[in-house]
Amino acid sequence: MTKLFYAPGACSLGIHVLLEEIGKPYELSKMSLRDGDQRKPEFAAVNPKGKVPTLQRDDGSVLTEFPAIAVWLARTNPQAKLLPDDIETQARVTEALAFVVATIHMQGFSRLFGPGNFAPSEADHPAVLARGREIAEKGLALIDKALAGKDYIAGSFSIADAALFYVETWAGGKGVTLPANCAAHLARMKARPAVQRALQQEGLAA
């Protein structure tokens, strides 16, 4: 059975949502990033990168990196309609997915969660935090424009929305203001039964 290695509220939440949207049986393996579970030998044997999400498939093979896992889940479960059929919309979904993960998350929120990873000196941390907030807010403003007049990034729910959802859940706790369309998207996502199940399973308030 497919197994998702996750940490509650981390970016793995987006993959958790996709698994719930698909509706097939899967297992969960909870990781505590605070306790350093991602650095323990037993997890290193599964994913030497030491991070979530990590997906162990039925045959024991392992997939890492949010975009790769999301695309694989979409392609192997076409009935869930997680990736549009037409190439133009597919490209826009991939574009948004890459931007959310590589820029809003990795360049923006990563600075907010771990300023020490960007500047060893604590004296520089305020500048790192300010830069992280700036990148996150500028990125979300661009996504906000893409959401204008639409419920979801591609019109209907896709893997890009699962990625956007997890960064939207981080915003309030890190002093990042969600623009109007993103705030509406977050509320729309929280109303989806699959999202509610994922949040409940991770012990997060819906």
Side-chain angles (χ1 to χ4, degrees), residues 106-164:
M106 296 306 299
Q107 293 297 320
F109 280 101
S110 287
R111 282 175 163 82
L112 297 176
F113 282 114
N117 294 327
F118 293 85
S121 171
E122 286 192 20
D124 296 325
H125 288 187
V128 172
L129 293 169
R131 179 61 176 147
R133 191 167 294 109
E134 178 188 14
I135 292 171
E137 289 182 344
K138 283 186 175 180
L140 287 166
L142 289 173
I143 292 289
D144 193 69
K145 290 180 181 178
L147 280 169
K150 294 184 291 188
D151 286 347
Y152 299 101
I153 289 171
S156 59
F157 178 82
S158 73
I159 56 176
D161 296 287
L164 178 58

Side-chain angles (χ1 to χ4, degrees), residues 9-10 16 20-21 34 38 40 51 54 60 64 89 122 158 160 203:
H16 194 173
E20 281 296 325
E21 290 282 350
R34 182 173 296 177
Q38 72 277 21
K40 293 179 179 176
K51 63 182 194 176
T54 296
T64 65
T89 313
E122 286 192 20
S158 73

Side-chain angles (χ1 to χ4, degrees), residues 75 78 81 83-90:
R75 289 288 193 169
K81 301 185 184 304
L83 193 60
D85 291 329
D86 70 283
I87 189 62
E88 175 62 24
T89 313
Q90 211 173 95

Side-chain angles (χ1 to χ4, degrees), residues 163-200:
L164 178 58
F165 170 66
Y166 82 72
V167 296
E168 288 171 338
T169 65
W170 292 345
K174 291 298 175 182
V176 173
T177 302
L178 282 180
N181 292 329
C182 289
H185 179 269
L186 175 60
R188 204 171 290 118
M189 288 292 294
K190 286 184 173 182
R192 294 181 71 87
V195 173
Q196 293 174 359
R197 291 192 297 271
L199 289 170
Q200 184 177 18

Side-chain angles (χ1 to χ4, degrees), residues 34-103:
R34 182 173 296 177
D35 293 338
D37 288 352
Q38 72 277 21
R39 294 187 293 273
K40 293 179 179 176
E42 52 268 37
F43 184 60
V46 178
N47 180 5
K49 295 176 181 176
K51 63 182 194 176
V52 296
T54 296
L55 193 74
Q56 190 168 45
R57 297 179 288 188
D58 294 350
D59 63 358
S61 63
V62 173
L63 266 183
T64 65
E65 306 300 333
F66 191 107
I69 296 171
V71 170
W72 182 81
L73 287 173
R75 289 288 193 169
T76 54
N77 296 279
Q79 77 288 347
K81 301 185 184 304
L82 300 174
L83 193 60
D85 291 329
D86 70 283
I87 189 62
E88 175 62 24
T89 313
Q90 211 173 95
R92 291 302 182 187
V93 166
T94 308
E95 177 185 46
L97 174 64
F99 182 64
V100 168
V101 174
T103 300

